[in-house]
Amino acid sequence: MGLRRYLTSKALWYLGALVVAVVLNFLLPRLIPGNPVDVIVSNLSQGANISSEQQAKIYAQFVEEFGLNQPLWQQFVTYVTSALQGDLGTSFSSYPTKVTALVGQALPWTLALQIPAIIIGWVIGNIVGAIAAYKGGGWDRSVFTTSLFLSSMPYYCLSILLLYVFAVVFGWFPVGGAYSLGMSPEWSWEFFWDAQSYFWLPFASLVLINVGGQAVGMRSMAIYELGSDYVNYSRGLGIGDAKMTRYIFGNAMLPQVTGLALSIGTMVGGALITELVFNYPGMGSLLFNAISSNDYPIIQAVTLLITVAVLVANFAVEIVYGLIDPRIRAAKSGE
Amino acid sequence: MSGINPGNVLTEAEGAEPAVPPPVSGGKAKPSWRSLNFGARFWIAIGIIAAISALAFFGSALYPYSPDEKVGGLYDSPSAEHILGTDNFGHDVLAVLMAATRNSLLLGLQAGILATLIGVLIGILAGYTGGWLEELLMGFTNIVLAIPAIIILILISISLQSTNIEFLKGFTGLALVIGITAWPWTARAVRAQASSVATREHIDVAKLSGARTPSILLTDVLPYLASYVVMAFVLQVASAILAESTLSLLGLGPSGTQSLGIQLHWALAFQAVASGSWWAFLPPTIVLTLISFGFLFLQSSLDEVFNPRLRRGKKKNLAKAAARRAEAAKKLAEQATTTEVPA
């Protein structure tokens, strides 16, 4: 399979997944029996103090926005076209605010937290796992058990423990939030310095768990490689350690790259709850607040964005895999 | 990193057991399951799971307080009467914890069984039959696998919350949803194994002797996958429990009941962490971690039992084996000398 064919087939698969995801994102909320707008508006008026005039206005707005008098396929077309134009609807709970504005406030926090955590966790995890497999013995056993423990720990459990021990008991870090009360997000050293003290705990809890998960995977891959015939043969030929390690870990790396693609979804999902524990103002907290106030357009926007982001990230990893896997490259030059 | 120790690699072969134990012949032979080499890890994992199940099932039957009973105020500290204090509703934390653990375990079991059944069915069909059916089933699986399961779970559970069907509102509905969304990776793993089994000779024999596909799948393919299915099931149970607690933490769990995620949800909502009321949030956190670790540890120990290549020679065992051999040699030598003397 050549590189081009590999990429085309992958692109088609992810396109298919994207279509299914968008359809589900559109369809599932509409499975609620009864008119969703009725449900939402009655929920809204129960909790908040909204005047009947305002309520009627919201109602009319939503009926039009959802296009509820149209057939389902037409609603779907409206949904997709407005989403493509960057219009994700209007928030229920903070009424005239556009969903995109709220998402725009939350997204930078999530990106700043998750992208470094996933990359650094992956790199450190692979190094630790490889060393454990290579050294064996007590090193291996302790690293393996610790990694397994960390990786099996739900994200939020580690977050809660870290928050309690380091912020509440020792008081080394602030308890939750992303910046001090008097501050507002801006591009200044003062704000940046303030925000970084809030950053480390959630970051550490994400990195630790990612390290654990990757180390467990890398260790077993490397052990498989260490026991394989080509290793024994090369050793018999007297090939040096440095060269051997390159071969072994080069081979063990490939499944780890695919593993990264598979685990990005879980990582992102777990990180959402981590934000919740630390009260970090990212997408997770936005989603949580939207769920507790039945803010439907926000929930749908967040789920759609996360799905698209995960699919894009997966596709990017698959492209990298195609570029570094010598089998795909070799097939290309052989054609 | 000074050199690859060949000892590690070579000893891996020692103690390797065939994945499918040979049939027992004669009355004196050990039952076949005894020849499986369960390590210390296996027993530690079983111990953790057994302790938590005991807490969940016997504890809640023996404990005097009910989880719905208001016995104190907001976050009363632990006392002799209430070992773990009270939560934000004034309920006894230990009573809530035990009921929550029971519910979470039962839900995990239901969802795990469902997900494993679907995954095995799709995987075995795709792997054994091959052709367009395999392409279709695996294409579907890969698409579902690419979409983050938590997103689908969030979307469905929001819909579930506002249904009028009582049955779907509780844990059964949640277990159903988790089971329906969790099967894809099991299907993928089972398919890979099933398609390798499908090429073995005994399948040809079964086909030639006129067996029909369902019976071949059940009696000639499935037994070879049993170890994978068991391991997948263990993982499915653990991940279902975690999925439930994630959803409940987000506030999407069933209302008016207990689960580990719901307990954590209220603890976080009522600022237990910031106010330092450790008894309200540490117990469910620790139990969740132990459940998850116990099941994962069980899976990894089973992996080593079924998959000897992952097993590493332990120095202790090597020393033991050497000692045993020395002993046997000594006995043999003694026998030789005792038989020699009278002669």
Side-chain angles (χ1 to χ4, degrees):
Chain A
M1 189 159 56
L3 186 62
R4 184 168 298 172
R5 252 185 72 195
Y6 169 84
L7 289 182
T8 330
S9 88
K10 286 287 172 197
L12 284 177
W13 277 121
Y14 279 104
L15 213 61
L18 184 66
V19 170
V20 173
V22 171
V23 169
L24 282 179
N25 211 38
F26 166 82
L27 211 58
L28 284 177
R30 283 167 179 75
L31 291 179
I32 303 175
N35 185 335
V37 175
D38 283 344
V39 178
I40 291 155
V41 173
S42 76
N43 277 338
L44 258 181
S45 49
Q46 271 167 22
N49 42 349
I50 296 173
S51 66
S52 57
E53 183 197 338
Q54 221 173 344
Q55 199 174 314
K57 214 168 115 190
I58 296 175
Y59 191 92
Q61 165 98 13
F62 290 143
V63 168
E64 195 183 333
E65 220 175 85
F66 278 118
L68 287 175
N69 36 3
Q70 296 166 338
L72 207 58
W73 66 267
Q74 215 165 347
Q75 290 180 38
F76 182 68
V77 172
T78 323
Y79 170 76
V80 172
T81 42
S82 58
L84 281 178
Q85 286 160 0
D87 179 13
L88 292 168
T90 313
S91 162
F92 286 151
S93 54
S94 39
Y95 170 56
T97 321
K98 280 280 176 195
V99 171
T100 33
L102 291 165
V103 168
Q105 282 168 15
L107 197 59
W109 294 106
T110 298
L111 292 180
L113 195 60
Q114 291 206 18
I115 292 179
I118 288 177
I119 294 175
I120 293 177
W122 189 77
V123 171
I124 297 181
N126 279 314
I127 294 174
V128 168
I131 294 177
Y134 196 82
K135 293 223 165 184
W139 229 93
D140 177 33
R141 230 164 304 146
S142 54
V143 166
F144 177 62
T145 313
T146 320
S147 310
L148 194 70
F149 186 72
L150 281 175
S151 69
S152 69
M153 212 169 181
Y155 281 87
Y156 39 89
C157 287
L158 184 63
S159 311
I160 290 174
L161 292 181
L162 288 181
L163 179 64
Y164 179 63
V165 172
F166 292 106
V168 178
V169 176
F170 292 139
W172 294 345
F173 296 95
V175 184
Y179 47 88
S180 302
L181 217 57
M183 295 270 186
S184 60
E186 56 186 2
W187 290 108
S188 73
W189 277 113
E190 204 187 346
F191 176 75
F192 183 76
W193 183 248
D194 181 59
Q196 59 86 26
S197 66
Y198 289 83
F199 176 78
W200 297 114
L201 269 187
F203 179 70
S205 72
L206 292 182
V207 167
L208 278 176
I209 285 181
N210 292 347
V211 164
Q214 296 301 326
V216 169
M218 184 62 184
R219 172 191 171 268
S220 44
M221 284 327 300
I223 287 182
Y224 261 111
E225 293 297 328
L226 282 169
S228 60
D229 291 341
Y230 79 89
V231 173
N232 288 330
Y233 182 65
S234 326
R235 210 179 274 136
L237 289 179
I239 290 178
D241 268 346
K243 205 163 193 179
M244 291 288 303
T245 7
R246 269 224 326 271
Y247 285 140
I248 291 168
F249 298 125
N251 278 335
M253 262 342 263
L254 281 178
Q256 284 300 96
V257 174
T258 333
L260 179 65
L262 279 178
S263 56
I264 283 179
T266 329
M267 288 179 182
V268 171
L272 292 181
I273 317 287
T274 301
E275 287 181 6
L276 193 63
V277 172
F278 288 103
N279 207 6
Y280 214 70
M283 301 287 275
S285 299
L286 184 68
L287 178 68
F288 175 70
N289 293 332
I291 286 173
S292 50
S293 60
N294 272 310
D295 198 335
Y296 230 85
I298 293 194
I299 299 175
Q300 250 183 318
V302 173
T303 51
L304 183 70
L305 273 177
I306 292 173
T307 317
V308 172
V310 168
L311 288 177
V312 168
N314 277 352
F315 185 54
V317 173
E318 302 267 17
I319 291 178
V320 170
Y321 183 85
L323 291 176
I324 62 173
D325 187 345
R327 280 166 295 189
I328 293 173
R329 255 182 321 188
K332 184 191 173 195
S333 57
E335 260 175 9
Chain B
M1 298 243 267
S2 58
I4 300 159
N5 176 9
N8 279 346
V9 181
L10 293 176
T11 48
E12 264 168 39
E14 245 194 33
E17 303 288 345
V20 179
V24 185
S25 58
K28 275 186 181 173
K30 283 198 287 183
S32 57
W33 59 269
R34 290 277 303 270
S35 68
L36 290 176
N37 188 355
F38 292 118
R41 268 186 208 158
F42 175 81
W43 295 111
I44 293 174
I46 289 285
I48 293 175
I49 296 169
I52 287 179
S53 309
L55 175 83
F57 294 100
F58 300 121
S60 53
L62 295 174
Y63 199 64
Y65 301 104
S66 133
D68 312 311
E69 193 183 347
K70 189 169 162 51
V71 294
L74 171 82
Y75 295 141
D76 285 350
S77 307
S79 61
E81 218 169 316
H82 303 290
I83 305 166
L84 288 175
T86 62
D87 65 8
N88 54 301
F89 298 116
H91 299 161
D92 185 286
V93 171
L94 188 57
V96 176
L97 179 73
M98 292 191 294
T101 312
R102 189 189 58 217
N103 288 344
S104 289
L105 283 177
L106 287 176
L107 174 126
L109 219 56
Q110 291 171 7
I113 290 173
L114 183 64
T116 312
L117 278 180
I118 303 177
V120 168
L121 190 73
I122 292 187
I124 210 170
L125 263 180
Y128 176 75
T129 51
W132 64 269
L133 189 63
E134 178 178 21
E135 297 270 312
L136 186 78
L137 288 176
M138 283 302 112
F140 181 57
T141 305
N142 285 338
I143 284 180
V144 180
L145 208 58
I147 304 169
I150 185 74
I151 297 300
I152 311 267
L153 281 178
I154 289 174
L155 288 173
I156 300 183
S157 8
I158 292 172
S159 312
L160 275 190
Q161 277 196 330
S162 39
T163 55
N164 303 319
I165 311 163
E166 267 319 300
F167 156 77
L168 286 177
K169 270 190 163 173
F171 281 114
T172 327
L174 203 54
L176 212 65
V177 175
I178 294 174
I180 295 173
T181 48
W183 57 267
W185 60 263
T186 301
R188 226 158 84 149
V190 166
R191 184 207 66 97
Q193 296 303 322
S195 61
S196 98
V197 171
T199 59
R200 297 197 192 172
E201 283 95 348
H202 75 277
I203 302 291
D204 294 333
V205 175
K207 273 184 196 159
L208 285 175
S209 59
R212 284 197 296 184
T213 310
S215 107
I216 293 181
L217 287 181
L218 211 61
T219 59
D220 298 311
V221 180
L222 198 57
Y224 287 83
L225 307 177
S227 61
Y228 291 92
V229 174
V230 169
M231 288 192 283
F233 171 68
V234 170
L235 277 190
Q236 287 286 11
V237 172
S239 67
I241 292 175
L242 295 191
E244 182 276 328
S245 61
T246 304
L247 282 178
S248 298
L249 252 175
L250 280 170
L252 289 169
S255 51
T257 180
Q258 292 87 25
S259 83
L260 292 169
I262 296 174
Q263 203 179 0
L264 274 179
H265 170 77
W266 289 117
L268 287 180
F270 280 79
Q271 297 297 331
V273 182
S275 68
S277 316
W278 55 266
W279 56 89
F281 64 86
L282 274 189
T285 309
I286 292 170
V287 169
L288 257 178
T289 308
L290 282 179
I291 289 179
S292 169
F293 178 64
F295 278 102
L296 226 85
F297 213 46
L298 179 65
Q299 192 269 346
S300 97
S301 72
L302 285 176
D303 204 10
E304 289 195 358
V305 171
F306 296 131
N307 195 348
R309 279 191 72 184
L310 277 181
R311 225 179 292 153
R312 285 236 158 144
K314 285 190 200 114
K315 291 210 173 93
K316 201 174 67 188
N317 289 358
L318 288 180
K320 262 191 212 158
R324 227 177 18 242
R325 277 197 293 273
E327 188 98 341
K330 219 167 80 187
K331 261 190 193 155
L332 216 78
E334 271 170 19
Q335 255 177 10
T337 48
T338 45
T339 43
E340 255 170 29
V341 169

